Amino acid sequence: MSHRLLLALAFALTSTAPAVAQDDRPFTAADIEAAQYGLEDLPAGRSALTAKVQILLDRSGTSPGVIDGFKGGMSQSAIKAFERRAGLPMDGVMDPHVWNLLQAYAERPATQGYTITEEDAQGLVDSIPTDYAEKAQMEAMAHTSIAERLGERFHMDEKFIQFLNPGVALVPGATIQVMAPNPPMRGQVTRIIIDKHNRRVAGYDARGQMVVDYPATIGSSATPSPEGTHNVRSVAVNPNYTYNPDVNFKQGDNDRKLVVPPGPNGPVGTVWIGLTKPTYGIHGTPTPSQLFSNQSMGCVRLTNWDAEELAKMVSIGGTTVEFLQPGVTIADVTGSGAATATPVAPIALPEGTAPTEVPTTEQPLALPEQAGAATGVAPEPSAQPAPEASAPDGSAPEASTPDALIPQAAPVESPADPLSDALTGALPEGFVVPPLQDAQP
C-alpha cells in the first residue's frame, strides 16, 4: 500500500511540473514585440503578452506598478482603471476593446536596448539594514545593485531585467534589453482620489479629466488611512526621514529620535507629498513589487517613479486629496465606468483587417484626423520592507527638504489624449462613452 502511495505521489508531482514551467517559460524582448492578443484573458503566470500590455498601460498613465510580465493583482487593477477611464464595464479582464484602445500607445516598440554606464554602478550600497538605528548610521539609503537602479528607471521588477537578459552580467559596458516607458506625464492635477477598496490613487485635472492612476498601499486594518478631504501642504524630493517613537510608532528597541538619510531605499522613498492632515502623506517605497502585499501605518505608498511623476503635477494648496470611505470607489464618485455590458457589435478594426484578427504593433489603431500626433507626453528619451511612518520629521519635511521644493507648474490646458481620441474609432456604433471632460469635479 505504501509503495502504491509513493508511486501515486511521484506521478502527481511529475504531471504538475510542466504546467508550472509553462507559466514561467523564458521569453525575449523580441517575443514581447511579436506578442499579439488572442481574444481571451491574459495567460496565467508570466508571458510576453502581459509584459506588452503592462508597458502600454504604463504609457497611458494607468500604472500597473512594476512591469514583470506576470498576470497579477496590480496589472488587473490597472486594466480595471483603464476600463473605468474608457467607460467600459469594469471587470479587470483583458478583452478586444481594451486591447484595441491600448494600441493608441503602441506607436513605438515596447522594448529598447540600453548600455550600462559607469554612473549606473556608482553610489551603490551592499545592503539596507532593517533596524532604524543602523539605517541612521549610513550615508544614504541608496540602491543595492545596478538591477535595482535600472528597474526604477525603466519601471521594471529588477528580477525581470535578469529574466530578459539571461547570462548577461549587469556591469558597465553591457548592452541589455529593457522596457521602454514614456517620459513622465505632465499636466496639473487639482484633485486626487484615493480608493481604498481597489487600492488605486487617481489624479484629475480642473476639467475632471483623469490624468494618472496608480496602484498603492493604503493603510491597514490596524492603522487605517485618514478619512475626508485634505490638501497638499508640501512636497519634498529625496527627503530625510525622521523616526520619532513619541509621535509615530516604536520600531524594535529604538526609543529615541533618529534621522535616516535620504535615498530610494528610505522608508518614504524618493518623494514626500505632505498633506494638511498632520503626519500623513503620499510617498514612494523601497519595495515597489510589494505594494499590494505590504501594509502601511496610514500613509499612501506609490512606486518611486509614480510618486515622482505625481509630485510634479500637484500644487501646494491647490490640489485636494480625497480619501474615499471603505467600499466607495472612484467610479462611484466620478460617475465613470458605469457601463454594465460590453457592446454587442464587433470591435472596430483597421480597414481591410479580417474580423478574427487584431491590430499589430505595425498596424496601430487609426486615430481621428489630426489626433494621432498629440499624445500628451514628450518623445522617448530586495530590501526588507521598512515600517511606515508619517512624515520625514513626524509632521512635515525636514528643513533640508523645504515645502514646494518642486516648482509649481503654471496652469496649462490639458493636452489631447490619445485614448479619448481613439474612442471614436475603436468602439462600435451606438456605444456611448461618457465624455471624460464632463466628469463630476
Side-chain angles (χ1 to χ4, degrees):
M1 180 66 68
S2 60
H3 178 68
R4 291 181 179 178
L5 180 59
L6 288 173
L7 287 176
L9 287 172
F11 176 78
L13 291 173
T14 303
S15 62
T16 57
V20 174
Q22 186 176 7
D23 287 344
D24 196 21
R25 63 184 183 273
F27 57 82
T28 66
D31 294 326
I32 296 175
E33 300 299 343
Q36 287 299 312
Y37 175 62
L39 305 182
E40 297 177 352
D41 193 12
L42 296 175
R46 179 154 46 188
S47 70
L49 176 60
T50 298
K52 190 171 192 174
V53 168
Q54 287 174 333
I55 188 63
L56 298 181
L57 286 167
D58 185 273
R59 289 176 181 177
S60 77
T62 313
S63 173
V66 292
I67 298 172
D68 58 7
F70 278 110
K71 176 188 175 182
M74 281 193 282
S75 293
Q76 289 176 305
S77 77
I79 293 175
K80 190 174 181 180
F82 190 85
E83 290 170 327
R84 164 169 36 85
R85 179 186 181 189
L88 293 169
M90 295 168 50
D91 57 9
V93 176
M94 191 67 191
D95 61 35
H97 300 283
V98 173
W99 174 258
N100 210 26
L101 293 174
L102 283 174
Q103 300 315 296
Y105 305 94
E107 74 287 351
R108 60 191 179 87
T111 63
Q112 60 186 333
Y114 177 78
T115 300
I116 300 173
T117 68
E118 292 290 344
E119 290 75 16
D120 294 329
Q122 294 177 358
L124 304 177
V125 296
D126 292 334
S127 63
I128 302 294
T130 301
D131 187 81
Y132 274 33
E134 295 180 29
K135 291 179 188 285
Q137 299 301 312
M138 300 181 67
E139 293 184 3
M141 296 286 99
H143 291 117
T144 59
S145 67
I146 290 176
E148 186 180 41
R149 175 169 286 166
L150 297 184
E152 295 212 353
R153 185 177 306 167
F154 299 110
H155 305 182
M156 301 171 66
D157 181 75
E158 58 191 277
K159 294 179 181 178
F160 190 47
I161 294 180
Q162 197 66 70
F163 179 91
L164 287 183
N165 301 276
V168 178
L170 302 183
V171 296
T175 297
I176 60 175
Q177 296 299 310
V178 294
M179 303 306 290
N182 282 339
M185 302 284 285
R186 291 291 181 262
Q188 189 166 28
V189 169
T190 60
R191 182 190 187 190
I192 296 173
I193 306 177
I194 298 176
D195 184 336
K196 302 175 184 178
H197 179 75
N198 290 305
R199 291 177 288 186
R200 301 292 301 190
V201 172
Y204 290 80
D205 64 16
R207 298 187 302 165
Q209 181 171 324
M210 195 195 90
V211 181
V212 287
D213 194 300
Y214 309 118
T217 299
I218 306 173
S220 67
S221 56
T223 54
S225 294
E227 299 179 353
T229 300
H230 311 278
N231 278 60
V232 170
R233 176 179 178 270
S234 60
V235 174
V237 176
N238 208 29
N240 291 331
Y241 173 83
T242 300
Y243 164 78
N244 188 342
D246 296 330
V247 175
N248 308 132
F249 62 94
K250 190 172 186 302
Q251 194 249 357
D253 296 328
N254 294 313
D255 56 4
R256 61 188 180 88
K257 189 175 180 180
L258 299 167
V259 177
V260 178
N265 273 313
V268 295
T270 58
V271 170
W272 170 264
I273 303 173
L275 307 183
T276 50
K277 175 73 172 178
T279 76
Y280 288 95
I282 302 171
H283 61 79
T285 178
T287 54
S289 64
Q290 299 178 30
L291 280 178
F292 273 15
S293 58
N294 280 346
Q295 294 185 330
S296 78
M297 299 296 289
C299 290
V300 178
R301 296 178 184 171
L302 308 176
T303 68
N304 279 337
W305 55 90
D306 286 342
E308 291 167 9
E309 179 179 74
L310 180 62
K312 294 179 181 178
M313 293 190 285
V314 301
S315 59
I316 309 302
T319 300
T320 61
V321 181
E322 181 179 349
F323 290 84
L324 301 183
Q325 292 286 342
V328 179
T329 69
I330 294 172
D332 294 332
V333 298
T334 60
S336 57
T340 58
T342 53
V344 294
I347 190 168
L349 297 176
E351 185 177 355
T353 303
T356 57
E357 297 179 355
V358 294
T360 66
T361 303
E362 292 74 23
Q363 294 177 299
L365 173 70
L367 301 179
E369 186 176 358
Q370 296 181 343
T375 62
V377 296
E380 164 66 14
S382 192
Q384 178 70 23
E388 179 81 46
S390 49
D393 63 359
S395 61
E398 287 284 310
S400 61
T401 53
D403 291 357
L405 186 59
I406 298 177
Q408 300 181 38
V412 294
E413 191 164 330
S414 297
D417 178 5
L419 175 59
S420 300
D421 295 336
L423 292 178
T424 302
L427 299 178
E429 183 177 357
F431 179 65
V432 178
V433 177
L436 295 176
Q437 63 268 27
D438 295 338
Q440 293 297 316

